[in-house]
């Protein structure tokens, strides 16, 4: 037996005219033919005559004693018949929110909702997504700050501190949760940041000469004394010597030089994506130093 409430029956009457004795514009013969042909149901069987002999009373009895699945099939087919007739005649819907209310009833009975209105106005396009990442003004200021660094005429140590502070701002702008430089027992760490579940320690060298293998070994030693999820980013403004790659095997560490920083800033590259591509390149090729211009061809 269908689980229809008094409110449900009232809605069906408004949409299909059940209590008036009629059902839509069907004659007796067409009503019987519709149920036989489209639904394989004998609507004039004696079981549906408990309230009387009119189309509406047979329909009401059918709704009250039939299983949910048959009621869902019937209401859906009648709605399609009704909608087609209204479209052909150019009629407007007179029952408020008829489609939505009948759809809710069908779903309550275990069926599918009615298809969307083919004549409904298209839904407005979704609002444009908010731009992600830092603004152009912030990125331009970082680029100018880096270029100013290259023209600094200060003591090497002071220039190194300024470089570390610049790197922290750059990491933070891209949401990498950077920490400033800190000391632990017997060692100096130039900073750290978070990326995809890993903590990266940073070694920052503002030297015009390339970093050599001894410098890389020293930094890697700091990483290997820490948990496995710790990785490293070695930033050498003056890049890296050729012999450093022959004498050093990088474990959990990637490299970046001054040219990488400039191109990433100038091209407004997402720093998190730069790190991601460097890590993947090293994992696949065993090359901890991949230039930004190779990873991001113009």
């Amino acid at each position: 037996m269908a689980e229809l409430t008094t409110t449900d029956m009232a809605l069906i009457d408004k949409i299909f005219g059940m209590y008036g004795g009629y059902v839509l514009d069907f004659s007796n013969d067409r009503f019987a033919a519709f149920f036989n042909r489209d639904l394989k149901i004998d609507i004039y069987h004696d079981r549906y005559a408990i309230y009387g002999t009119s189309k509406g009373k047979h329909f009401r009895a059918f709704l009250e004693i039939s299983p949910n699945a048959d009621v869902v099939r019937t209401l859906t087919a009648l709605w399609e018949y009704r909608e087609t007739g209204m479209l052909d005649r150019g009629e407007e819907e007179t029952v408020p929110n008829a489609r939505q209310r009948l759809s809710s009833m069908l779903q309550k009975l275990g069926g599918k909702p009615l298809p969307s209105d083919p004549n409904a106005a298209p839904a407005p396009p979704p609002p444009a997504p908010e731009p992600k990442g830092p603004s152009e003004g912030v990125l331009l200021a970082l680029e100018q700050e880096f270029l100013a660094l290259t023209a600094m005429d200060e003591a090497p140590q002071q220039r190194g501190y300024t470089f570390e502070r610049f790197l922290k701002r750059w990491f933070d702008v891209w949401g990498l949760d950077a920490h400033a430089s800190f000391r632990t027992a017997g060692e100096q760490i130039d900073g750290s940041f978070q990326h995809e579940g890993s903590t990266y320690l940073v070694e920052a060298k503002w030297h015009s000469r390339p970093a050599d293998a001894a410098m890389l070994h020293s930094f890697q030693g700091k990483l290997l004394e820490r948990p496995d999820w710790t990785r490293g980013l070695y930033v050498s403004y003056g890049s890296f010597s050729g012999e450093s790659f022959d004498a050093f095997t990088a474990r959990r560490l990637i490299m970046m030089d001054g040219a990488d920083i400039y191109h990433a800033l100038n091209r407004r590259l997402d720093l998190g994506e730069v790190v991601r591509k460097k890590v993947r390149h090293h994992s696949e090729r065993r090359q901890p130093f991949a230039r930004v211009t190779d990873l991001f061809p113009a």
Side-chain angles (χ1 to χ4, degrees), residues 165-185:
R165 291 193 294 271
F166 160 78
L167 290 175
K168 182 184 184 306
R169 282 192 289 275
W170 189 28
F171 298 145
D172 279 336
V173 156
W174 288 104
L176 300 183
D177 188 20
H179 284 179
S181 61
F182 57 92
R183 291 193 64 83
T184 63

Side-chain angles (χ1 to χ4, degrees), residues 217 219-228 230 251-252:
H217 278 297
F219 181 51
Q220 181 158 267
K222 299 176 184 179
L223 299 177
L224 297 180
E225 292 176 353
R226 286 172 165 79
D228 290 344
T230 309
R251 295 181 177 85
R252 308 204 316 252

Side-chain angles (χ1 to χ4, degrees), residues 49-259:
I50 56 178
Y51 296 121
T53 59
S54 70
K55 294 184 290 293
K57 290 182 177 180
H58 272 259
F59 186 36
R60 176 187 173 192
F62 166 80
L63 293 173
E64 290 189 354
I65 67 177
S66 297
N68 284 358
D70 285 347
V71 171
V72 167
R73 287 195 306 121
T74 300
L75 293 176
T76 301
L78 284 172
W79 174 269
E80 292 173 353
Y81 175 88
R82 175 181 182 267
E83 184 174 54
T84 300
M86 291 177 64
L87 288 173
D88 289 343
R89 296 185 295 271
E91 297 175 357
E92 297 291 333
E93 180 60 69
T94 59
V95 179
N97 299 318
R99 182 185 298 273
Q100 296 90 329
R101 294 161 70 188
L102 185 58
S103 286
S104 297
M105 185 193 305
L106 295 176
Q107 289 179 284
K108 182 183 72 173
L109 296 174
K112 296 180 179 179
L114 297 172
S116 59
D117 185 355
N119 290 325
E130 292 293 326
K132 295 182 179 179
S135 69
E136 170 62 21
V138 169
L139 295 177
L140 178 60
L142 277 172
E143 181 184 5
Q144 292 174 340
E145 180 180 353
F146 177 71
L147 293 175
L149 268 173
T150 65
M152 282 182 61
D153 186 19
E154 295 186 11
Q157 187 177 30
Q158 184 59 43
R159 190 164 54 183
Y161 292 150
T162 304
F163 186 40
E164 291 170 14
R165 291 193 294 271
F166 160 78
L167 290 175
K168 182 184 184 306
R169 282 192 289 275
W170 189 28
F171 298 145
D172 279 336
V173 156
W174 288 104
L176 300 183
D177 188 20
H179 284 179
S181 61
F182 57 92
R183 291 193 64 83
T184 63
E187 64 182 8
Q188 168 76 25
I189 304 296
D190 294 337
S192 70
F193 63 90
Q194 292 290 117
H195 184 263
E196 296 186 341
S198 294
T199 299
Y200 282 73
L201 302 186
V202 176
E203 185 82 359
K205 297 295 184 186
W206 188 279
H207 297 155
S208 57
R209 68 179 185 279
D212 58 28
M215 297 176 180
L216 295 171
H217 278 297
S218 174
F219 181 51
Q220 181 158 267
K222 299 176 184 179
L223 299 177
L224 297 180
E225 292 176 353
R226 286 172 165 79
D228 290 344
W229 59 83
T230 309
R231 295 179 175 181
L233 173 64
Y234 199 111
V235 186
S236 171
Y237 174 76
S239 199
F240 303 90
S241 67
E243 62 89 18
S244 67
F245 297 113
D246 297 329
F248 174 72
T249 301
R251 295 181 177 85
R252 308 204 316 252
L253 113 77
I254 55 175
M255 306 176 190
M256 179 181 290
D257 66 4

Side-chain angles (χ1 to χ4, degrees), residues 8-22:
D8 293 336
M9 296 294 278
L11 176 62
I12 293 171
D13 179 43
K14 287 181 180 179
I15 295 175
F16 302 113
M18 174 178 61
Y19 285 107
Y22 298 93

